[in-house]
Structures are given as C-alpha cells and as structure tokens.
Amino acid sequence: MVRRFLTLCAVLTALAPAAWAAPRPAADEGKLDRELRHRAGAPRGHSRVILRLTPGVSADGAIRKLRGTVGPRLASMDGQVADVPDSSLNALARLPGVTGVSLDRCVQGTLERTGATIGSTWVHDSLGLDGSGVGIAVIDSGVANWHDDLGSTRVTRFVDFVSFQPAAYDDYGHGTHVAGIIAGNGHDSGGRRRGVAPGATLLVEKVLDASGQGYISNVIAAIDYAIANKDALHLRVVNLSVAAGVYESYTTDPLTLAARRAVEAGLVVVSAAGNLGKGPDGRPQYGAIGAPGNAPWVITVGASSHNGTVDRADDTVASFSSRGPTALDFQAKPDIVAPGVGIESLAEAGSTLFNTKPLMRLWGTVPTATEPYLSLSGTSMASPAVSGTIALMLQANPALTPNLVKAILQFTAESRDGYNALTQGAGFLNARGAVELAQSLAAGAGLPQNAAPDETAWSGHVIWGNHRIGGGHLRAAANAWRPDVMWGSSQAPEGTGIVLGTSGEGDNIVWGTACGAPDPSTSLAAGCDNIVWGTECGGADCDNLVWGTSLLGETDNLVWGTNVLDEADNIVWGTSADRASGILVRDPEPR
C-alpha cells in the first residue's frame, strides 16, 4: 500500500535555530540542511523533504527503494518533493544526481486608520492613483468569492495548491483579510475600510489549509506560477504574508531561491518579518526573522501600531514584530515597518478565523448577513500595506525595478529615534513620500529629502546589505537597481562598482571611493568597505551595521552578537534552542 503523504505540520517553536558553528558534516551528509542532519542522527519518524537534482535526473525509483513516497515535482528548480524515513536521509543524500536536500518546512499565516496614517488616502484623493493596472499575487489561504468589497473584478484568477478546487474559497480566512488590505474598495463600510490600492487586481493562490498550515513546496509552486503568468495577469508584486523557519542559508534555501527567481523576473516580493519580537519571558528578542524574509532580495516588513489614531506622531513598533539580524547569515532586517496592529479588513463568514474570533468581528455601514470585517494583528497585516503601496508606486512609475522600489520605500520612510535598524529597518512606511518620489524619478528628477510637500520627514537613507548609507539623492539609472544586481552587493556582475545615486553636488558615489587612499589588498579605500553618498566613512551618514560582540545602546553603529549592554535583550541564538524545529510565525494573534 502506498503510504499517504504527511499533511500535519509539526508545532513550530518560538526560537530560531542556534547560529554557532556545528561540527563539519561528511560530504554527502552536508547535502542535508541542519534540521535534517539532526533528524538523520536521531531518527524519530518521517520527514517531508525537497530534493535538488541534477537536470534530467529522476529519483523516483530510489525514493521508493528507501521506503519513501514520491511527491510533486518542482520543475523550475529541478526539485522533487518526497516523504522518507529519517533513517534513510543519509542514503537519500548519497543518491547520484542529488545536490541538496531541504526540509519541506511548514509555513503559516503570519484599515480604517491605516490609509490615513501611511498617506495612501492622500495619494488616492490628491494624485488620483489607486493601483489600477497593477497585478498582485496573494499567496495565502485563499479568498472569499462573495465579498462586496472585492466585487467581481478584483480577483482575476484563483489557483488552489491545497485541495485543487476550481472556485475561489478561503476556509481559514487569512487570505481574505490580506486581500482586503491590498485592494478592498470599502463597499460595506462606506469607503472607510478601503484598501491601500483598491484599483489593483489580484491573483490569489491558496497554499494554507483551514488551520492556516502549509508547506514551502506549495509556496514555491505558487511563486513559480506567478512568474509564468506575470505577463498575462499584469503581475508586478508577490505578497507573502506567510513564513517558515530558517534551517539553511538564504543562498541554498529552495524557498528564498524561488523568491529570487521572481525578483529576477521583475516581480517585487514582499514578505512578513514574523511575530517573534518577544521571547517567552516577554522581553525583546533578536534574530527571529522567518524565511523568505531573511533573503536580501525580499522586502521584509515588520509591524508598527498606529495606536488607534491617524496621527503618525504616536506610532510605535509593535512589540511582537520580529527583529533582525537573520539567523545563519546575519543580515540586517527588517527593511521597513508598516501598520500591523488592530487592522480592520475583510472577513470570510464560516472560516476558521471568523468562527474562533467572535470578538474581533466588525459590522459595516450597510446591511449584511454576517459581520463583513475582522480586526487582526500581525506582520501578515503589515506586508499587504506595503504591497498596496508598491502598486501605487508602480502605477505612478511603471519603470521601477524591484531594487529601486525597495530603495524608494526605505529612503522615504520615517526613521524614529529610540529604535535601532534591527527593529524598525529603515523606518515607518510613508506611502505618500514613496509615491511622490516614484513620480519624480519617472519625470527624470531626483528629489532631495522633503523637497516634495510631504509632512513626514524622510529618512534619506538606504540600508544596503549591512550598511546604512545616505547623504545624497537616488538616481533612477544607477546600476544598483538592475534586476541582476543582488541587494547589498559590493559589485555588479561585470565587476563594476555599485552606484546608488548622486551626492549633493551631483557626483556619482561608488563603492569605497570616498574613504581615503585605496588598500591594494582589497581594492577598497583604507579603513572603508562601505558605499557612501558624498560623505567620508565615520560621518553621520555612513553607519555600519556590524555583528560583533555587543549592542552598544541605540546608536546608529549597531554591533551585535553575544551581549546586550543596555537593555539585556534576549538573543535568539547561542542558547539551548539549537534543536528548535523552526520559527513560529503565526498571525493574526501575536503575543
């Protein structure tokens, strides 16, 4: 009898894997990610895995000989899903043509004042932009097929990777809420709960089941579907309000690499940071960004709170919002924070969230059979606010690349004193400023900070890799924004220096050129491995984000590692959690 595929995700822990060095594995064993190496050494049952294969190789027969079950093929990455006994993992890694084996990890789902707070309402009313012509892929739990706020034209296609049903549905309710934040028209609330980009269209791809659980292989398949259909559906953005644990570097993780394929195809990928900003003891903890938000090519969104007002002055970073740096690779994340607390958006009557959260249901202003809205919190609610903002930016300037979109969002964000870059990223989302700068760049101009009539102070900075840089103007034609340039790289693929913009005097500023005499051993200026805009290293606008031994207060020069001197914040790695099964990134009820 053929063994049925395992469909129940294990409960994920709230701590990221430990990041210290492990004993070097044998060559074949090294093909397994860190969690699978642990399971191979202490077999407990079965594991659902993704095999990376040499092109043209089939492992079906070998999988069956190892008492495994063959799952779906992931053609875009020469991948094969399988369920195998833990005792067979090492033998699986030794199969000819197998180049790597990753755990098919579980993923989980991670407005009324939002639009006014971030400035999207001003964009609608003053600039006449609503995201029209821009398609967004919502990879989540599905969507209600009846909701007034989505009408009959918002969802252009529905694809079910869970039960393969042809008609749209959402038995969990999470995807419907996310869809409303992006593109709801506010019909049932007299426009009060209108989404950020109500004119955008949606490709809805269901990867989460009725309990909000799924597998990264389904997310990968959904991303690949979006890539294949981007032109037919006018797709420009992929919204992932889901996340998984981090078991391997973003350079080898099948999920992060799928996101990279999307970016290289011209799609902007937006991902929730996760809801692990607090440890079990309630104190802040660092290092719990989920995948694929740990990849530099993804725009990773943390959550802020508007605290029930439309005034930005009282906005704060949500305590549950996951902080960087990323596990294993130690990259600066998140990229930005956006409203994610008490977000009022669409409800799907009869879904799991609707049934289990009766106190969160909200009536609209027109008669309906059931409450049409829910109030939910989490970074899953913050991500679609950014995705909707990007739709407005792309309507204003269709020529924007994924890298330039991220740069504009960071440059126009509002950086707040009291929060370091591992907590707020570049700062709080400023949709108005982002759209105005996008428009300006489309017209061939580059706005200096606050040249536009925007009430929100722009950060004027970009976090390029692990460096915060500023002091000049973004330039639309700079090579940093090309699709083939990885965010944070020191050089373009052809070996030329990275240019992001111009200094205040209009000069191009290239990697390492403004920092003193060149060092022959590195080809960089002495004492400087930074990209700067018109300033010398050590200046206020040339701050390194360095992972070292301690976090010295809340200064711009962030040093991270084993100690936190001022607040004694929790450190996610370096604890007894090295055997953690993953990161719990569950929305919409962060704690």
Side-chain angles (χ1 to χ4, degrees), residues 111-118 121 192 306-310 339 342 344:
L111 285 152
E112 185 170 347
R113 286 171 287 273
T114 299
T117 299
I118 66 176
T121 300
R192 293 168 58 198
H306 48 49
N307 289 305
T309 74
V310 298
E344 300 169 354

Side-chain angles (χ1 to χ4, degrees), residues 449-501:
Q449 182 174 345
N450 284 346
D454 184 2
E455 299 173 353
T456 303
W458 298 3
S459 76
H461 289 87
V462 171
I463 300 177
W464 183 257
N466 283 346
H467 303 275
R468 195 181 79 161
I469 56 178
H473 311 288
L474 299 180
R475 186 163 66 89
N479 65 358
W481 320 134
R482 287 173 13 195
D484 62 341
V485 172
M486 188 176 77
W487 187 271
S489 298
S490 61
Q491 292 182 328
E494 68 275 11
T496 59
I498 292 293
V499 178
L500 289 85

Side-chain angles (χ1 to χ4, degrees), residues 438-449:
Q439 277 190 323
S440 177
L441 292 174
L447 291 181
Q449 182 174 345

Side-chain angles (χ1 to χ4, degrees), residues 269-297:
V269 179
V270 181
S271 177
N275 299 329
L276 291 174
K278 292 193 298 184
D281 58 1
R283 295 162 54 203
Q285 70 177 5
Y286 287 77
I289 301 290
N294 61 322
W297 43 81

Side-chain angles (χ1 to χ4, degrees), residues 158-169 171 206:
F158 172 79
V159 184
D160 183 3
F161 291 92
V162 178
S163 300
F164 307 102
Q165 300 298 314
Y169 71 104
D171 45 5
K206 180 176 175 61

